[in-house]
Amino acid sequence: MKRKQNIKIRLFSILAILFLVISFAFPTFAFGPSSDIIYQGIDVSSWQRKIDFSAVKRSGIDVVYIKSSEGQSYIDPYFETNYQNAKANGLKVGFYHYVTARTIEQARTQANFFARVVSGKQADCRLAMDFENFGNLSVAEINEISKVFLETLVNATQSEVVIYSNAYSARTIFSQTLTNYPLWVANYGVSKPGSNGKWETWVGWQYTSTGTINGISGYVDKNQFTDGILLSSTDPIPDVPEAPDVPSTENTIVYTVKKGDTLSQIAQRYGTTVSSIVALNPSIQNPNLIYPGQQFKISTLSSGNSSNIYIVKSGDTLSHIAIRYSTTVSNLVRLNGIKNPNLIYPGQKIVISTMNSSTETGQNACGKISYSIQLGDTLSQIAAQYHTTVQEIVLLNQISNPNLIYAGNTILISNCRQ
């Protein structure tokens, strides 16, 4: 019995030594908050629709991250409202951009777009890169796009940034080279975020996507943030000028390639030729290879029309622009290849075509007619009848509720001969 006990003791000692050797050879990776100061936070977008930020503040929330933008042209429709109301209620504010880039050039374009959207705003928290849908990109491509996006964003805004990532991507996709940027990690159903073997700490932890809170109808993402999420300066984010390599002049426009575009189609649309576009843009190596997000210059001199360039300002809509220049939304959509007329953004260039003074056809000439509403009319029917839009009629007549119109009332309608 004693001999067996000695054998057991020796075996236990050997196992203990092996355990210590392995522990020192492969140390566990500590992963926790970057400081002991914790702020309660949420992140919001148009999914939450109208938010009562005073109730949110009273519920103990300190920080709100607001979706500002996505891709290279989408601005969250609640961005401005959420920013103003969150600030008015004393919440610390941060902004995030949903990245859809598939090339390095698109990464630069999207970073600059994000910077332009938030320029002039007073952020309290780091600007966040939300890159989580990778399509068919390789790991190397994902990391290169992330690196270029973050570097471009820092250079454009002179602000600190943060990477938002779920725990799996932080562990398996994002590389060690990105750890010089802090991590805001999403990891649900756990008592603390799991280690990823790269970042030693987190500055943000999104711990649920089904949180509830006073002031918000439905679910909302809830987070904990450390003081590492805060910016070192809360000065307004500086204005971001247009890139110097895509100038726009009186006779030149800058066109952004849309999905499905070909140079032949674009040349036909602007009354020019493929060879003219290629000659004006040495970056086009192969006229048969252009990609969404690519930008190049197009001369409008060869067109029978003269063209004005309008730069979209904050608060603009296509309806406002159309009425201002006596044209229609449909003309602007067709001329600029706009996929969604409800999605335009500050800094975007809109081509507005005006006919030469010698033109006798009267095309694109817009006037206003008076229409007396009949019993049973709807704005949709009236808009269809006069080849306009409900939005244009509402804007022109300052109609507060497009579903409430009354027989006998007279409204103005923009009547354009096309």
Side-chain angles (χ1 to χ4, degrees), residues 133-183:
N133 187 345
F134 307 124
N136 295 320
L137 293 172
S138 68
V139 170
E141 289 171 331
I142 293 167
N143 281 282
E144 188 61 25
I145 286 170
S146 299
K147 178 174 176 289
V148 169
F149 179 90
L150 292 163
E151 288 176 349
T152 304
L153 184 60
V154 169
N155 289 335
T157 63
Q158 299 302 303
S159 298
E160 296 104 337
V161 297
V162 62
I163 296 173
Y164 168 85
S165 169
N166 60 53
Y168 175 81
S169 295
R171 186 173 67 253
T172 63
I173 294 178
F174 291 121
S175 73
Q176 189 76 33
T177 59
L178 295 177
T179 58
N180 54 319
Y181 303 106
L183 178 67

Side-chain angles (χ1 to χ4, degrees), residues 2-17:
K2 188 172 183 181
R3 178 183 176 88
K4 288 181 180 180
Q5 286 178 340
N6 290 337
I7 292 172
K8 288 180 179 179
I9 292 170
R10 286 198 295 272
L11 183 59
F12 178 79
S13 299
I14 291 169
L15 290 173
I17 292 169

Side-chain angles (χ1 to χ4, degrees), residues 59-349:
S59 297
I61 297 299
D62 308 299
V63 174
V64 56
Y65 258 90
I66 299 168
K67 181 176 182 178
S68 66
S69 43
E70 178 176 334
Q72 60 189 33
S73 62
Y74 176 80
I75 299 177
D76 188 287
Y78 283 79
F79 163 59
E80 187 68 35
T81 299
N82 284 341
Y83 168 71
Q84 296 293 346
N85 291 342
K87 274 290 186 182
N89 283 280
L91 289 158
K92 297 182 187 301
V93 169
F95 306 121
Y96 75 91
H97 176 90
Y98 188 88
V99 176
T100 62
R102 295 295 179 261
T103 67
I104 291 172
E105 189 56 44
Q106 289 176 15
R108 290 194 185 96
T109 299
Q110 292 192 19
N112 281 315
F113 170 57
F114 181 23
R116 285 195 297 272
V117 171
V118 300
S119 64
K121 300 289 190 288
Q122 194 170 25
D124 303 283
C125 304
R126 293 171 177 265
L127 301 179
M129 178 190 77
D130 179 2
F131 191 15
E132 54 185 283
N133 187 345
F134 307 124
N136 295 320
L137 293 172
S138 68
V139 170
E141 289 171 331
I142 293 167
N143 281 282
E144 188 61 25
I145 286 170
S146 299
K147 178 174 176 289
V148 169
F149 179 90
L150 292 163
E151 288 176 349
T152 304
L153 184 60
V154 169
N155 289 335
T157 63
Q158 299 302 303
S159 298
E160 296 104 337
V161 297
V162 62
I163 296 173
Y164 168 85
S165 169
N166 60 53
Y168 175 81
S169 295
R171 186 173 67 253
T172 63
I173 294 178
F174 291 121
S175 73
Q176 189 76 33
T177 59
L178 295 177
T179 58
N180 54 319
Y181 303 106
L183 178 67
W184 170 14
V185 65
N187 200 178
Y188 308 152
V190 294
S191 59
K192 61 180 181 179
S195 169
N196 54 68
K198 298 165 190 172
W199 281 271
E200 295 182 1
T201 61
W202 53 263
V203 296
W205 171 28
Q206 186 183 89
Y207 57 88
T208 182
S209 61
T210 56
T212 57
I213 193 168
N214 291 339
I216 295 179
S217 300
Y219 292 138
V220 65
D221 297 334
K222 298 182 79 170
N223 304 264
Q224 290 185 353
F225 295 106
T226 73
D227 55 0
I229 202 73
L230 302 179
L231 291 171
S232 57
S233 170
T234 56
D235 291 339
I237 296 169
D239 290 334
V240 180
E242 292 291 330
D245 60 341
V246 286
S248 177
T249 67
E250 184 180 358
N251 299 313
T252 304
I253 65 158
V254 177
Y255 182 79
T256 302
V257 177
K258 316 288 191 304
K259 186 177 180 180
D261 275 348
T262 67
L263 274 188
S264 298
Q265 292 170 336
I266 297 168
Q268 185 177 16
R269 183 183 304 158
Y270 289 95
T272 184
T273 63
V274 170
S275 57
S276 294
I277 296 176
V278 171
L280 197 59
N281 298 273
S283 60
I284 300 176
Q285 301 296 318
N286 184 343
N288 297 316
L289 287 179
I290 60 175
Y291 54 85
Q294 185 178 2
Q295 291 184 320
F296 46 72
K297 294 177 285 185
I298 299 175
S299 173
T300 60
L301 285 173
S302 58
S303 172
N305 296 349
S306 62
S307 295
N308 293 326
I309 305 296
Y310 180 78
I311 298 178
V312 177
K313 300 176 178 59
S314 180
D316 275 344
T317 66
L318 276 188
S319 295
H320 280 101
I321 298 168
I323 290 173
R324 185 181 307 163
Y325 288 93
S326 297
T327 184
T328 65
V329 169
S330 58
N331 277 344
L332 296 180
V333 167
R334 175 183 53 79
L335 191 61
N336 293 275
I338 295 172
K339 300 290 186 184
N340 186 342
N342 296 315
L343 293 179
I344 60 173
Y345 57 87
Q348 183 178 356
K349 296 181 179 67

